[in-house]
Amino acid sequence: MIGQRTLHSFFSPAPAKKRSRSPEPGGDAEGSSAKKAKDSGELSEELQERIRKNKEAARQLLAQRNVPPGFGDSWRRQLAGEFSKPYFVELMAFVAEERKRHTVYPPSEQVFTWTQMCDIWDVKVVILGQDPYHGPNQAHGLCFSVQKPVPPPPSLENIYRELSTDIEGFTHPGHGDLTGWAKQGVLLLNAVLTVRAHQPTSHRERGWEQFTDAVVSWLNKNLHGLVFMLWGAYAQRKGSSIDRKRHHVLQTVHPSPLSVNRGFFGCQHFSKTNEFLKKSGKKPIDWKAL
């Protein structure tokens, strides 16, 4: 009966409490301290640091798995945090799918040529472009540059023309490959790093802009005395967050035939860049070394 059971239990002696066992000598002291910390709602500084290091190691491991081919080591170490972000994972999946269905420039092994030319800490000059060239054998991972023996496109021809009046002894090199500049610390960075053949701007707003913004942001915050050449409204918008007190910024119109006569010719950006570098105690760029 319910009443009898209740009455019986009321008068019965309370069950003996189980005595907690003290940890054995040499037992799991760390687990015990972690449990105590958890029970008290606080984590020791040592435990917090261990957790932080474990999280960082896990993040680095994930980032390592997502490192795209051909990415320079020094650049990878500083930008690895981007590789595990959802936008970058989606971007890589998009480009891979595009390559299955279409011809995409530049080839996958040349998308990040700009990270292979010099150490990230040795960058001295940054020239920002927009889209890669979309014709065969042109784009190779450096903005404004084309592979030999492809003739220089009109914008690059105009750059050479300005150099011939700005830098004493400069003569047209007979090709359009700017690797010689890149190896001296001139970062030739497009905002968008891939493009579908014969379809300019076809890979815009897919994530490349966010990634190259992260590159510019890292350089802006971690290096000093860089010279940024911002040609045209697009490059100037992308470089709007550059710290002008920390770096030098040169702006003019784009060297495209459509705008070159509105201020690019006569801008003397190349000689001005070398003056800035000298004042910063850095070796000037040999613009003739192409």
Side-chain angles (χ1 to χ4, degrees), residues 108-126:
S108 58
E109 68 275 10
Q110 293 182 328
V111 172
F112 301 103
T113 298
W114 50 276
T115 69
Q116 302 166 12
M117 297 291 100
C118 74
D119 193 286
I120 192 171
W121 295 99
D122 293 335
V123 173
K124 295 188 285 189
V125 181
V126 180

Side-chain angles (χ1 to χ4, degrees), residues 86-154:
Y87 88 87
F88 195 84
V89 175
E90 293 173 10
L91 170 62
M92 292 296 98
F94 165 73
V95 175
E97 189 63 26
E98 281 283 284
R99 290 193 186 279
K100 291 178 184 177
R101 299 170 179 268
H102 309 280
T103 299
V104 172
Y105 298 129
S108 58
E109 68 275 10
Q110 293 182 328
V111 172
F112 301 103
T113 298
W114 50 276
T115 69
Q116 302 166 12
M117 297 291 100
C118 74
D119 193 286
I120 192 171
W121 295 99
D122 293 335
V123 173
K124 295 188 285 189
V125 181
V126 180
I127 300 178
L128 296 179
Q130 297 180 34
D131 248 18
Y133 296 120
H134 53 85
N137 302 314
Q138 290 184 309
H140 64 126
L142 303 174
C143 75
F144 292 105
S145 180
V146 291
Q147 301 178 90
K148 301 173 184 176
V150 178

Side-chain angles (χ1 to χ4, degrees), residues 4 12 25 27-29 35 38 66 84 107 121 157 168 184 209-210 248 258 267 275 284 288:
Q4 288 179 335
S12 298
D28 187 5
K35 185 178 185 302
K38 183 178 180 182
N66 295 329
S84 57
W121 295 99
E157 287 287 5
E168 185 178 354
Q184 296 180 68
E209 294 91 340
Q210 184 173 345
H248 310 286
L258 299 175
C267 70
E275 287 302 315
K288 296 176 284 187

